[in-house]
Amino acid sequence: MSNNIFEKKIMDSKIVTEKMTIKEKILGYIIGPLGMLSLQAVVNQLAELYYTEVFYIDNIFGVGTYLAMSWVTKIVSMLAGLWIARLVEKNQSSQGKVRPFILIGELICAISAFFMFEIPEISNTGKIIWVYFFNILYNGIGITMFLLRKNMITLATRDQNDRNQINLFDRVSSFMIVGTAVTMVVGSVLYYTMLHGYPKENWILLIGIFCIVTVPLSFINYYYTKERVTLEADEVEGAIYNKENVSILARIKQLFSCKYWTIAFIITLVSQCVSNLQGYNLNTNFCTVILGANAENNYNLFYTIASGVPLGIGILFIYPLSKKITIRKATIIFNLISFVGCSLGLIVKSDFVLAVISFFIHNLGTIATVYVLDALLLSSNDEVEYKYNFRPEGTVALAVTTAIATIISGVFSGVYETGLSYFGYNASLGVNQGTGVINWIYFIRYVVPMIQDVVVIIALYFMNLEEKLPAMQKEVLERKNIHESK
């Protein structure tokens, strides 16, 4: 990134203060990411539906074509992640390690997402090449770069209170605004009123609007963030004072020798496995097959609201609560609540009102995980810096461990849909599915989250990082001061 457009004054961050301001927190971590997060949510919801209901990819090219494309895209994403990490690790831009790549990724996504849906009338061979190219460009390159934004929480500041707050603001943008509002509007309203059964022009119009909105918001996201921790280095290389030539394997061993970082890795891995296992259409299938939802009774809308209301309520109290009793203890308590909600769901079965109540309780229990847990998990990077004098954000070593997690969790991608097919799921049957289908949906909906709750509770029991962090950061800053005085 040196000697290119990002070194021009026009690309400088609008943030010039050493301490984070409320303006930076709101514009950089709530408003700025909204466009890309909304686009990502819409693509996640509609891509599979578009390729099966409008483009008919498996009908044209054979059963399994979409699944094969998904796997190819994941493989490319992992390779791209290693390549991008190498670029980030070598990046010496005065704009920071990751900010330029995040902006590039957002712009790539805005373009490629549109052409994932806008498929020209060319030969079938041309169409499949087109679809592969833009799916790989979007998921493999664009999203991979955009996901670097997660590093901003620990690179923006060393102040743990600020980290907790911007993580909360980021979660508000990701889950409460996008995850609830956008998902509800697109999945529960627009899908039934302008997409399902309507021509492809409707789908393209909708995705086009989100692509256009993404562009200006991406620049707001870029200009109103700053990598203070990265720029502490005299040569803006990311590592503050460690210039040792250490192999990637040695770095990986160092990562896993850090107790808190390893626990954070395990919790993140479990979360990814569960997310991949549940897929994107679990709520729709549960409402349709178990609860008998249709366009007339709006059950799907009520069920979606039951997932959103707890997140809306949670924003009012989870931050002050976690600040008072620590993120670790708050998350343990709320995971117990989630466990109770899932247990109730298994008891009440298909009773609509009680199913909504149990889902509400389960989602209430996810508040701490959604809003504050990431701030604790990401702060495990400070332990790495404390023990080995380097920050792992954006390094190849971290990209390799992320790739390992992606491979492991990727095994669960498509398992839910495969299970439905194995047990004889037929969309036209509605609620009259076989016992195997019904039991499978119950297992994914309730039992899998219960297993996750247990794993997270046990892991967090040993993660007393918050108590250790102040002393770690104090020593790191003392070392840095000694280094600068030489």
Side-chain angles (χ1 to χ4, degrees):
M1 287 295 170
S2 59
N3 301 320
N4 67 11
I5 189 173
F6 284 98
E7 295 308 302
K8 306 294 184 182
K9 189 171 182 60
I10 192 175
M11 300 304 293
D12 286 350
S13 171
K14 303 298 182 184
I15 303 299
V16 295
T17 58
E18 289 303 314
K19 296 288 185 179
M20 295 196 78
T21 64
I22 191 65
K23 181 179 182 180
E24 176 184 356
K25 293 173 183 177
I26 292 176
L27 291 177
Y29 296 90
I30 294 183
I31 296 176
L34 272 180
M36 183 57 220
L37 290 171
S38 298
L39 177 62
Q40 187 179 13
V42 172
V43 171
N44 286 345
Q45 277 190 296
L46 299 184
E48 182 179 341
L49 293 170
Y50 181 80
Y51 287 126
T52 55
E53 293 186 12
V54 179
F55 184 54
Y56 300 113
I57 187 170
D58 282 359
N59 290 357
I60 298 175
F61 302 102
V63 176
T65 302
Y66 184 81
L67 181 62
M69 183 175 67
S70 299
W71 276 101
V72 170
T73 301
K74 288 182 183 297
I75 293 172
V76 172
S77 297
M78 286 186 288
L79 296 176
L82 297 175
W83 170 63
I84 292 168
R86 186 64 176 171
L87 295 178
V88 171
E89 196 169 64
K90 296 296 183 181
N91 179 23
Q92 297 185 29
S93 171
S94 61
Q95 306 302 342
K97 294 172 65 175
V98 301
R99 286 177 60 247
F101 291 102
I102 295 170
L103 176 61
I104 293 171
E106 289 174 317
L107 298 179
I108 288 176
C109 286
I111 296 170
S112 56
F114 179 77
F115 289 110
M116 284 171 60
F117 290 79
E118 177 54 88
I119 304 168
E121 291 300 325
I122 53 180
S123 67
N124 285 344
T125 300
K127 287 180 180 178
I128 197 65
I129 293 174
W130 180 283
V131 168
Y132 259 83
F133 177 79
F134 285 107
N135 271 271
I136 288 173
L137 188 61
Y138 173 83
N139 291 293
I141 307 298
I143 291 296
T144 302
M145 287 185 174
F146 175 65
L147 290 179
L148 289 169
R149 65 186 291 272
K150 194 172 185 180
N151 296 311
M152 286 301 301
I153 292 173
T154 46
L155 292 178
T157 178
R158 289 189 181 277
D159 188 297
Q160 192 58 32
N161 287 329
D162 281 341
R163 286 181 181 179
N164 293 345
Q165 195 171 57
I166 62 176
N167 176 71
L168 176 66
F169 283 7
D170 179 79
R171 298 298 90 185
V172 168
S173 184
S174 301
F175 287 90
M176 191 174 77
I177 299 177
V178 173
T180 302
V182 175
T183 300
M184 181 172 65
V185 170
V186 174
S188 299
V189 179
L190 297 182
Y191 175 71
Y192 291 107
T193 58
M194 68 171 289
L195 300 179
H196 183 58
Y198 287 84
K200 71 175 185 179
E201 286 75 15
N202 288 27
W203 299 69
I204 294 170
L205 172 64
L206 182 63
I207 200 73
I209 292 172
F210 280 93
C211 290
I212 291 172
V213 171
T214 295
V215 175
L217 288 177
S218 296
F219 281 98
I220 291 177
N221 186 33
Y222 172 82
Y223 281 118
Y224 289 94
T225 52
K226 181 179 181 180
E227 293 182 36
R228 293 174 178 81
V229 174
T230 302
L231 299 177
E232 288 174 350
D234 295 335
E235 301 172 2
V236 292
E237 292 182 1
I240 294 174
Y241 40 79
N242 191 327
K243 309 300 182 186
E244 298 177 7
N245 186 19
V246 181
S247 69
I248 296 174
L249 181 59
R251 286 295 193 213
I252 293 173
K253 289 180 179 179
Q254 289 174 343
L255 290 177
F256 282 104
S257 69
C258 294
K259 170 186 172 182
Y260 300 121
W261 188 93
T262 302
I263 293 174
F265 177 83
I266 292 171
I267 293 174
T268 302
L269 174 60
V270 171
S271 176
Q272 289 176 347
C273 290
V274 172
S275 178
N276 285 338
L277 182 57
Q278 292 185 328
Y280 295 115
N281 297 316
L282 176 60
N283 278 5
T284 301
N285 291 146
F286 187 86
C287 290
T288 303
V289 174
I290 305 300
L291 303 180
N294 54 50
E296 286 73 35
N297 60 31
N298 288 321
Y299 280 5
N300 196 30
L301 178 60
F302 290 121
Y303 196 74
T304 303
I305 291 174
S307 67
V309 170
L311 295 180
I313 297 173
I315 189 63
L316 301 176
F317 62 80
I318 191 58
Y319 176 69
L321 177 64
S322 63
K323 190 174 181 180
K324 182 177 181 180
I325 68 173
T326 74
I327 293 174
R328 178 172 71 107
K329 292 177 182 178
T331 306
I332 289 175
I333 293 171
F334 277 85
N335 272 267
L336 288 171
I337 295 174
S338 170
F339 189 92
V340 171
C342 290
S343 301
L344 179 61
L346 287 173
I347 296 172
V348 302
K349 296 291 185 179
S350 60
D351 184 290
F352 175 72
V353 174
L354 294 179
V356 169
I357 292 173
S358 65
F359 193 52
F360 179 93
I361 295 173
H362 162 62
N363 282 287
L364 184 67
T366 65
I367 288 174
T369 301
V370 167
Y371 282 133
V372 296
L373 180 58
D374 265 2
L376 173 60
L377 300 184
L378 290 170
S379 291
S380 63
N381 291 333
D382 288 21
E383 179 197 15
V384 179
E385 183 183 18
Y386 168 75
K387 292 185 68 174
Y388 296 108
N389 297 344
F390 80 98
R391 293 201 66 86
E393 296 99 334
T395 61
V396 176
L398 184 61
V400 171
T401 61
T402 301
I404 293 171
T406 302
I407 292 171
I408 296 172
S409 62
V411 173
F412 295 91
S413 295
V415 170
Y416 168 64
E417 291 79 5
T418 302
L420 289 178
S421 299
Y422 176 80
F423 289 113
Y425 173 77
N426 186 334
S428 63
L429 295 178
V431 296
N432 300 312
Q433 305 289 337
T435 303
V437 172
I438 294 173
N439 289 338
W440 177 244
I441 293 176
Y442 275 128
F443 175 77
I444 301 297
R445 170 80 288 169
Y446 294 127
V447 178
V448 169
M450 291 170 71
I451 295 173
Q452 180 183 12
D453 290 335
V454 172
V455 172
V456 171
I457 290 170
I458 294 173
L460 287 178
Y461 178 80
F462 297 98
M463 194 171 183
N464 59 332
L465 174 60
E466 286 159 292
E467 292 85 350
K468 306 286 186 180
L469 201 56
M472 288 182 183
Q473 290 189 334
K474 181 180 179 181
E475 183 168 332
V476 166
L477 291 174
E478 287 175 351
R479 291 178 198 163
K480 179 180 179 295
N481 291 333
I482 294 173
H483 170 74
E484 289 181 342
S485 64
K486 291 182 179 180

